[in-house]
Amino acid sequence: MTIKPLIILPDPVLRQVSKPIERVDTDLQRLSDDMLETMYDAPGIGLAAIQIGVPRRMLVIDLSKEGEEKQPLVFINPEIVSSSDDRSVYEEGCLSIPDYYAEVERPAKVTVKYLDREGKEESVEADGLLATCLQHEIDHLNGVLFIDHISRLKREMVIKKFTKAAKSKVL
Ligand SMILES: [Zn+2]
């Protein structure tokens, strides 16, 4: 397993729409292992393939707490098939937007259809943190970031800050 470099805002790669995966094979499983390794190293609780520069529809999540046994989840071609009218608010962060957090309101429950790591069709009725995390990561597959769900003023401030930081690194 390899820890991959993370793509950071404002890299335009993050705005790409990821392509569906046609075949679940050992290369893809290896990629999912690398994604988990990268996520654990960061550390984070969710990661989409595009965040390591691979525009394919796959994401990994692990909501286990520190000290608990790991619970890695792999979602291939995940699709939200229904979402609740009731909403919940979580303070979200993103490995591609380090050290920035903001409250985001989303549907409290979602049903997500996907293929697991073995390519088997599955579906999950998620609520709580898993529901929020799935929506955040599926957004990534569509080139959407959590800052797109906050006020325009706040979003512009964050983008400006990260653009400045990226420029100073190049120089
Ligand atoms: Zn993210």
XYZ file of all heavy atoms in Angstrom, residues 12-96:
661
model
N -7.535 22.623 -10.155
C -8.749 22.397 -10.956
C -9.136 20.921 -11.095
O -10.279 20.615 -11.446
C -8.408 23.005 -12.324
C -6.939 23.227 -12.331
C -6.488 23.321 -10.912
N -8.189 20.026 -10.793
C -8.498 18.587 -10.829
C -9.706 18.275 -9.943
O -10.541 17.427 -10.264
C -7.255 17.761 -10.385
C -7.621 16.311 -10.103
C -6.182 17.836 -11.461
N -9.815 19.009 -8.835
C -10.912 18.767 -7.891
C -12.284 19.065 -8.494
O -13.309 18.649 -7.963
C -10.722 19.608 -6.619
C -9.539 19.209 -5.730
C -9.319 20.249 -4.643
C -9.762 17.829 -5.113
N -12.295 19.830 -9.599
C -13.564 20.188 -10.246
C -13.948 19.226 -11.364
O -14.978 19.385 -12.002
C -13.472 21.626 -10.788
C -13.335 22.678 -9.680
C -14.457 22.537 -8.690
N -14.516 23.645 -7.719
C -15.472 23.753 -6.799
N -16.414 22.834 -6.721
N -15.472 24.755 -5.946
N -13.083 18.230 -11.628
C -13.400 17.234 -12.661
C -14.530 16.322 -12.201
O -14.628 15.986 -11.026
C -12.182 16.345 -12.916
C -11.147 16.952 -13.832
C -10.019 15.944 -14.108
O -10.215 14.744 -14.128
N -8.827 16.474 -14.300
N -15.346 15.897 -13.183
C -16.374 14.894 -12.892
C -15.743 13.520 -13.134
O -15.199 13.260 -14.204
C -17.619 15.114 -13.780
C -18.640 14.015 -13.544
C -18.228 16.490 -13.496
N -15.776 12.679 -12.124
C -15.136 11.363 -12.226
C -15.967 10.406 -13.081
O -17.192 10.493 -13.114
C -14.944 10.775 -10.831
O -14.059 11.578 -10.088
N -15.266 9.492 -13.734
C -15.943 8.546 -14.647
C -16.316 7.247 -13.942
O -15.597 6.781 -13.059
C -15.000 8.213 -15.813
C -14.710 9.405 -16.710
C -14.397 8.963 -18.127
C -14.484 10.121 -19.105
N -13.624 11.272 -18.740
N -17.437 6.656 -14.372
C -17.851 5.382 -13.774
C -16.795 4.292 -13.969
O -16.047 4.307 -14.948
C -19.125 5.008 -14.545
C -19.602 6.261 -15.171
C -18.398 7.120 -15.396
N -16.754 3.370 -13.031
C -15.816 2.249 -13.105
C -16.514 1.081 -13.795
O -17.630 0.720 -13.431
C -15.343 1.894 -11.674
C -14.365 2.980 -11.216
C -14.716 0.512 -11.626
C -14.188 3.085 -9.747
N -15.842 0.542 -14.806
C -16.481 -0.525 -15.584
C -16.142 -1.913 -15.068
O -16.906 -2.845 -15.248
C -16.088 -0.399 -17.057
C -16.944 0.631 -17.778
C -16.232 1.262 -18.957
O -15.340 0.607 -19.520
O -16.578 2.409 -19.296
N -14.973 -2.041 -14.452
C -14.569 -3.373 -13.998
C -13.861 -3.298 -12.658
O -12.977 -2.473 -12.460
C -13.631 -3.999 -15.039
C -13.625 -5.510 -15.021
C -12.714 -6.014 -16.089
N -11.487 -5.216 -16.085
C -10.443 -5.465 -16.872
N -10.480 -6.430 -17.739
N -9.358 -4.727 -16.795
N -14.302 -4.163 -11.754
C -13.635 -4.232 -10.456
C -12.576 -5.331 -10.545
O -12.898 -6.509 -10.636
C -14.660 -4.547 -9.339
C -13.960 -4.671 -7.989
C -15.731 -3.461 -9.288
N -11.322 -4.917 -10.573
C -10.232 -5.897 -10.676
C -9.171 -5.611 -9.608
O -9.354 -4.733 -8.767
C -9.627 -5.886 -12.093
C -9.181 -4.492 -12.520
O -9.019 -3.620 -11.631
O -8.987 -4.260 -13.721
N -8.077 -6.355 -9.659
C -7.076 -6.209 -8.594
C -6.415 -4.826 -8.622
O -6.050 -4.303 -7.580
C -5.980 -7.307 -8.683
O -5.479 -7.333 -10.019
C -6.537 -8.654 -8.318
N -6.274 -4.227 -9.816
C -5.710 -2.871 -9.893
C -6.587 -1.892 -9.122
O -6.092 -1.017 -8.405
C -5.615 -2.410 -11.355
C -4.400 -3.016 -12.054
O -3.564 -3.632 -11.346
O -4.295 -2.894 -13.286
N -7.904 -2.040 -9.312
C -8.843 -1.143 -8.639
C -8.817 -1.372 -7.124
O -8.837 -0.428 -6.335
C -10.255 -1.363 -9.190
C -11.249 -0.287 -8.763
C -11.100 0.954 -9.628
C -12.669 -0.784 -8.818
N -8.722 -2.659 -6.735
C -8.659 -2.972 -5.306
C -7.376 -2.408 -4.691
O -7.390 -1.912 -3.561
C -8.746 -4.487 -5.099
C -10.160 -4.986 -5.403
C -10.263 -6.497 -5.465
O -9.280 -7.190 -5.690
N -11.472 -7.003 -5.270
N -6.307 -2.451 -5.453
C -5.053 -1.879 -4.973
C -5.198 -0.354 -4.794
O -4.721 0.212 -3.829
C -3.919 -2.204 -5.969
C -2.589 -2.411 -5.291
C -1.559 -2.991 -6.248
N -1.905 -4.347 -6.678
C -1.744 -4.809 -7.934
N -1.269 -4.036 -8.871
N -2.051 -6.044 -8.208
N -5.890 0.261 -5.758
C -6.141 1.702 -5.638
C -6.958 2.003 -4.375
O -6.671 2.965 -3.660
C -6.882 2.210 -6.890
C -7.331 3.669 -6.882
C -6.149 4.623 -6.808
C -8.181 3.992 -8.120
N -7.959 1.169 -4.084
C -8.770 1.398 -2.879
C -7.903 1.245 -1.628
O -8.080 1.979 -0.651
C -9.991 0.470 -2.840
O -9.628 -0.849 -2.487
N -6.954 0.300 -1.644
C -6.039 0.137 -0.501
C -5.157 1.375 -0.325
O -4.943 1.846 0.794
C -5.135 -1.092 -0.696
C -5.927 -2.396 -0.678
O -7.066 -2.386 -0.165
O -5.406 -3.410 -1.177
N -4.659 1.903 -1.445
C -3.839 3.126 -1.391
C -4.651 4.302 -0.857
O -4.146 5.131 -0.092
C -3.307 3.487 -2.788
C -2.223 2.523 -3.253
O -1.731 1.730 -2.423
O -1.875 2.556 -4.452
N -5.915 4.374 -1.278
C -6.785 5.461 -0.806
C -7.000 5.363 0.707
O -6.939 6.371 1.413
C -8.131 5.425 -1.540
C -8.041 5.912 -2.990
S -9.533 5.529 -3.933
C -10.786 6.433 -3.005
N -7.218 4.146 1.197
C -7.407 3.965 2.642
C -6.138 4.347 3.394
O -6.184 5.068 4.399
C -7.798 2.512 2.948
C -9.264 2.168 2.657
C -9.469 0.659 2.583
C -10.202 2.767 3.709
N -5.001 3.881 2.889
C -3.714 4.183 3.514
C -3.489 5.697 3.580
O -3.066 6.246 4.596
C -2.611 3.510 2.671
C -1.271 3.390 3.348
C -1.268 2.415 4.510
O -2.277 1.695 4.693
O -0.275 2.390 5.251
N -3.784 6.366 2.462
C -3.619 7.820 2.378
C -4.553 8.524 3.360
O -4.167 9.466 4.048
C -3.912 8.293 0.933
O -3.052 7.576 0.042
C -3.690 9.787 0.767
N -5.795 8.030 3.441
C -6.792 8.615 4.344
C -6.384 8.427 5.810
O -6.456 9.363 6.599
C -8.156 7.971 4.090
C -9.262 8.485 4.976
S -10.801 7.577 4.681
C -10.499 6.111 5.666
N -5.933 7.228 6.169
C -5.516 6.967 7.558
C -4.313 7.823 7.930
O -4.181 8.295 9.051
C -5.163 5.489 7.757
C -6.353 4.549 7.710
C -6.308 3.359 6.995
C -7.530 4.847 8.410
C -7.390 2.489 6.954
C -8.620 3.991 8.370
C -8.549 2.809 7.644
O -9.617 1.957 7.607
N -3.421 8.025 6.977
C -2.203 8.787 7.232
C -2.499 10.264 7.474
O -1.803 10.925 8.242
C -1.242 8.630 6.041
C 0.017 9.456 6.218
O 0.797 9.119 7.125
O 0.202 10.436 5.476
N -3.553 10.777 6.808
C -3.811 12.235 6.814
C -3.962 12.860 8.210
O -3.293 13.864 8.471
C -4.986 12.559 5.908
N -4.785 12.425 9.161
C -5.821 11.409 9.008
C -7.159 12.028 8.637
O -7.415 13.190 8.927
C -5.902 10.819 10.418
C -5.603 11.991 11.322
C -4.729 12.933 10.539
N -8.011 11.209 8.006
C -9.348 11.663 7.647
C -10.326 10.517 7.771
O -9.920 9.378 8.046
N -11.617 10.801 7.547
C -12.636 9.750 7.674
C -13.242 9.385 6.322
O -14.025 8.447 6.228
C -13.755 10.144 8.672
C -14.444 11.456 8.248
C -13.189 10.283 10.076
C -15.705 11.759 9.062
N -12.869 10.143 5.272
C -13.386 9.825 3.949
C -12.449 10.365 2.878
O -11.758 11.359 3.103
N -12.398 9.672 1.738
C -11.534 10.132 0.646
C -12.101 9.643 -0.683
O -12.462 8.474 -0.812
C -10.106 9.595 0.829
C -9.071 10.092 -0.181
C -8.596 11.500 0.169
C -7.865 9.150 -0.257
N -12.164 10.545 -1.652
C -12.590 10.170 -3.002
C -11.350 10.035 -3.879
O -10.338 10.716 -3.648
C -13.532 11.244 -3.559
N -11.420 9.154 -4.889
C -10.251 8.882 -5.744
C -9.697 10.160 -6.372
O -8.481 10.328 -6.505
C -10.615 7.862 -6.824
N -10.578 11.083 -6.729
C -10.134 12.328 -7.380
C -9.209 13.124 -6.457
O -8.372 13.903 -6.930
C -11.358 13.187 -7.818
C -10.946 14.317 -8.753
C -12.121 13.729 -6.609
C -10.458 13.884 -10.102
N -9.314 12.913 -5.149
C -8.456 13.651 -4.215
C -6.996 13.180 -4.270
O -6.107 13.839 -3.723
C -8.988 13.541 -2.790
C -10.304 14.291 -2.601
C -10.820 14.156 -1.184
O -11.490 13.192 -0.870
N -10.480 15.098 -0.322
N -6.769 12.019 -4.902
C -5.377 11.642 -5.184
C -5.146 11.676 -6.697
O -4.225 11.042 -7.220
C -4.972 10.271 -4.571
C -5.910 9.151 -5.026
C -4.934 10.362 -3.057
C -5.354 7.754 -4.741
N -6.013 12.407 -7.395
C -5.795 12.676 -8.816
C -6.332 11.616 -9.769
O -6.000 11.638 -10.946
N -7.148 10.693 -9.264
C -7.697 9.644 -10.123
C -9.193 9.900 -10.348
O -9.993 9.755 -9.423
C -7.491 8.241 -9.491
C -8.056 7.150 -10.402
C -6.025 7.993 -9.180
N -9.566 10.294 -11.576
C -10.965 10.682 -11.805
C -11.898 9.488 -12.045
O -12.540 9.366 -13.073
C -10.874 11.578 -13.050
C -9.678 11.081 -13.791
C -8.738 10.476 -12.780
N -11.965 8.586 -11.073
C -12.844 7.420 -11.143
C -13.802 7.457 -9.972
O -13.459 7.965 -8.899
C -12.021 6.122 -11.083
C -10.816 6.079 -12.011
C -11.201 6.093 -13.468
N -12.129 5.029 -13.805
C -11.777 3.758 -14.051
N -10.526 3.420 -14.002
N -12.684 2.864 -14.363
N -15.006 6.862 -10.180
C -16.044 6.971 -9.152
C -15.856 5.928 -8.043
O -16.526 4.900 -7.995
C -17.434 6.891 -9.780
C -17.659 7.983 -10.831
C -19.079 8.039 -11.329
N -19.960 8.754 -10.432
C -20.090 10.075 -10.398
N -19.381 10.849 -11.198
N -20.934 10.626 -9.563
N -14.934 6.235 -7.151
C -14.704 5.363 -6.001
C -14.365 6.227 -4.793
O -13.686 7.243 -4.918
C -13.563 4.379 -6.275
C -13.236 3.509 -5.066
S -12.358 1.988 -5.480
C -10.800 2.652 -6.021
N -14.860 5.793 -3.623
C -14.514 6.499 -2.397
C -14.357 5.510 -1.259
O -14.865 4.390 -1.315
C -15.561 7.562 -2.080
C -17.021 7.171 -2.046
C -17.459 6.866 -0.635
C -17.844 8.321 -2.624
N -13.615 5.934 -0.258
C -13.427 5.111 0.940
C -13.819 5.925 2.163
O -13.692 7.159 2.181
C -11.960 4.622 1.078
C -11.592 3.699 -0.081
C -10.978 5.784 1.154
N -14.334 5.222 3.157
C -14.776 5.852 4.399
C -14.393 4.929 5.556
O -14.452 3.711 5.428
C -16.318 6.065 4.384
C -16.712 7.151 3.367
C -16.856 6.416 5.780
C -18.214 7.356 3.204
N -13.993 5.511 6.679
C -13.847 4.742 7.913
C -14.213 5.647 9.073
O -13.521 6.621 9.348
C -12.419 4.207 8.076
C -12.318 3.200 9.214
O -13.119 3.312 10.176
O -11.461 2.305 9.155
N -15.326 5.314 9.734
C -15.827 6.175 10.806
C -15.455 5.643 12.191
O -15.944 6.147 13.194
C -17.347 6.339 10.699
C -17.863 6.949 9.383
C -19.376 7.072 9.421
C -17.235 8.306 9.118
N -14.587 4.604 12.237
C -14.205 4.070 13.552
C -13.416 5.131 14.321
O -12.707 5.950 13.732
C -13.370 2.803 13.393
O -12.167 3.087 12.699
N -13.571 5.097 15.652
C -12.873 6.097 16.468
C -11.446 5.644 16.764
O -11.121 4.475 16.623
C -13.647 6.308 17.768
C -15.015 6.892 17.515
C -15.611 7.502 18.776
C -16.923 8.195 18.471
N -17.985 7.205 18.115
N -10.646 6.604 17.177
C -9.254 6.309 17.497
C -9.193 5.216 18.571
O -9.927 5.266 19.555
C -8.584 7.592 18.018
C -7.143 7.719 17.557
C -6.476 8.941 18.169
O -7.111 10.006 18.172
O -5.333 8.802 18.639
N -8.346 4.231 18.361
C -8.223 3.153 19.336
C -9.157 1.989 19.060
O -8.934 0.888 19.534
N -10.226 2.238 18.285
C -11.154 1.167 17.908
C -10.590 0.393 16.721
O -9.702 0.876 16.013
C -12.502 1.755 17.474
C -13.390 2.185 18.606
C -14.705 2.780 18.111
O -14.986 2.729 16.886
O -15.448 3.291 18.954
N -11.157 -0.801 16.501
C -10.771 -1.576 15.316
C -11.195 -0.815 14.063
O -12.268 -0.207 14.036
C -11.467 -2.937 15.360
C -10.783 -3.978 14.505
C -11.518 -5.312 14.542
O -11.951 -5.697 15.647
O -11.658 -5.930 13.480
N -10.347 -0.843 13.043
C -10.664 -0.127 11.796
C -11.869 -0.736 11.095
O -12.062 -1.948 11.124
C -9.451 -0.166 10.862
C -8.332 0.772 11.293
C -7.248 0.835 10.223
C -6.275 1.974 10.418
N -5.587 2.021 11.689
N -12.687 0.125 10.470
C -13.853 -0.341 9.720
C -13.852 0.262 8.313
O -14.670 1.120 8.000
C -15.143 0.048 10.462
C -15.361 -0.717 11.754
C -16.355 -0.041 12.676
O -17.134 0.813 12.247
N -16.326 -0.409 13.936
N -12.890 -0.181 7.479
C -12.789 0.407 6.144
C -13.983 0.050 5.263
O -14.399 -1.108 5.216
C -11.502 -0.219 5.584
C -11.306 -1.481 6.355
C -11.895 -1.242 7.718
N -14.547 1.059 4.601
C -15.649 0.849 3.659
C -15.213 1.359 2.299
O -14.617 2.428 2.194
C -16.892 1.627 4.120
C -17.474 1.281 5.499
C -18.541 2.303 5.892
C -18.063 -0.124 5.482
N -15.499 0.582 1.262
C -15.174 0.976 -0.110
C -16.469 1.067 -0.908
O -17.279 0.140 -0.886
C -14.213 -0.047 -0.771
C -13.932 0.338 -2.221
C -12.911 -0.158 0.020
N -16.676 2.190 -1.561
C -17.881 2.403 -2.366
C -17.469 2.668 -3.812
O -16.774 3.638 -4.097
C -18.685 3.603 -1.850
C -19.206 3.441 -0.442
C -18.401 3.772 0.646
C -20.482 2.965 -0.200
C -18.868 3.633 1.951
C -20.955 2.822 1.098
C -20.149 3.155 2.181
N -17.908 1.781 -4.703
C -17.588 1.931 -6.128
C -18.866 2.326 -6.868
O -19.928 1.729 -6.626
C -17.001 0.607 -6.670
C -15.675 0.298 -5.943
C -16.791 0.667 -8.183
C -15.185 -1.125 -6.121
N -18.780 3.320 -7.733
C -19.946 3.864 -8.457
C -21.128 4.161 -7.513
O -22.257 3.775 -7.805
C -20.411 2.899 -9.553
C -19.383 2.726 -10.658
O -18.503 3.558 -10.844
N -19.495 1.636 -11.400
N -20.877 4.841 -6.394
C -21.979 5.109 -5.464
C -22.981 6.091 -6.059
O -22.598 6.994 -6.813
C -21.272 5.735 -4.256
C -20.060 6.373 -4.826
C -19.626 5.490 -5.965
N -24.227 5.857 -5.732
C -25.297 6.686 -6.290
C -26.357 6.881 -5.216
O -26.806 5.902 -4.599
C -25.899 5.916 -7.470
C -26.683 6.744 -8.454
C -27.321 5.835 -9.491
O -26.623 4.902 -9.978
O -28.507 6.037 -9.785
N -26.736 8.130 -4.988
C -27.799 8.407 -4.011
C -29.139 8.129 -4.682
O -29.481 8.775 -5.668
C -27.722 9.857 -3.502
C -26.413 10.071 -2.728
C -28.931 10.191 -2.616
C -26.114 11.513 -2.373
N -29.885 7.134 -4.181
C -31.166 6.802 -4.805
C -32.340 7.464 -4.099
O -33.403 7.643 -4.686
C -31.383 5.274 -4.934
C -30.458 4.706 -5.997
C -31.175 4.549 -3.619
N -32.171 7.821 -2.814
C -33.192 8.638 -2.169
C -32.587 9.406 -1.012
O -31.586 8.973 -0.427
C -34.364 7.774 -1.678
O -33.964 6.996 -0.588
N -33.179 10.563 -0.704
C -32.704 11.324 0.440
C -33.900 11.881 1.205
O -34.947 12.162 0.619
C -31.745 12.440 0.012
O -32.150 13.014 -1.197
N -33.735 11.999 2.520
C -34.845 12.419 3.386
C -35.115 13.910 3.256
O -34.233 14.678 2.856
C -34.521 12.086 4.841
O -33.405 12.847 5.268
N -36.341 14.297 3.614
C -36.672 15.725 3.653
C -36.057 16.380 4.882
O -35.675 17.544 4.849
C -38.190 15.929 3.682
C -38.818 15.523 2.357
O -38.123 15.593 1.323
O -40.005 15.127 2.361
N -35.987 15.614 5.987
C -35.385 16.218 7.175
C -33.885 16.324 6.980
O -33.254 15.504 6.318
C -35.753 15.479 8.472
C -35.479 13.997 8.398
O -35.841 13.397 7.377
O -34.868 13.449 9.341
N -33.339 17.390 7.564
C -31.949 17.728 7.303
C -31.156 17.752 8.595
O -31.727 17.818 9.681
C -31.889 19.078 6.576
C -32.683 18.998 5.279
C -32.792 20.284 4.525
N -31.558 20.784 3.947
C -31.087 20.456 2.755
N -31.721 19.583 2.020
N -29.994 21.005 2.284
N -29.851 17.617 8.471
C -29.013 17.752 9.659
C -27.796 18.594 9.321
O -27.439 18.747 8.155
C -28.606 16.373 10.192
O -27.781 15.735 9.262
N -27.202 19.128 10.363
C -26.057 20.018 10.177
C -24.829 19.400 10.845
O -24.905 18.969 11.995
C -26.333 21.411 10.801
C -25.101 22.298 10.685
C -27.527 22.061 10.136
N -23.734 19.309 10.115
C -22.457 18.851 10.668
C -21.382 19.867 10.330
O -21.450 20.518 9.290
C -22.038 17.517 10.044
C -22.585 16.301 10.752
C -23.766 15.711 10.328
C -21.914 15.744 11.842
C -24.273 14.583 10.973
C -22.409 14.619 12.496
C -23.578 14.050 12.051
O -24.076 12.943 12.680
N -20.397 19.959 11.199
C -19.229 20.754 10.864
C -18.335 19.868 9.989
O -17.897 18.801 10.416
C -18.479 21.189 12.119
C -17.313 22.082 11.775
C -16.718 22.744 13.000
O -15.986 22.076 13.730
O -16.991 23.945 13.206
N -18.127 20.276 8.749
C -17.363 19.457 7.814
C -15.978 20.024 7.574
O -15.740 21.222 7.695
C -18.111 19.354 6.469
C -19.443 18.633 6.611
C -20.123 18.334 5.279
O -19.433 18.286 4.239
O -21.356 18.145 5.296
N -15.085 19.124 7.219
C -13.747 19.494 6.798
C -13.421 18.648 5.580
O -14.238 17.822 5.169
N -12.258 18.844 4.978
C -11.922 18.106 3.764
C -10.404 18.013 3.653
O -9.715 19.013 3.863
C -12.494 18.847 2.550
S -12.181 18.020 0.991
N -9.902 16.823 3.321
C -8.444 16.656 3.204
C -7.864 17.514 2.087
O -6.673 17.797 2.085
C -8.096 15.177 2.974
C -8.407 14.245 4.161
C -8.043 12.814 3.824
C -7.680 14.705 5.419
N -8.711 17.960 1.153
C -8.244 18.815 0.056
C -8.322 20.297 0.413
O -7.912 21.156 -0.378
C -9.050 18.537 -1.211
O -8.810 17.214 -1.639
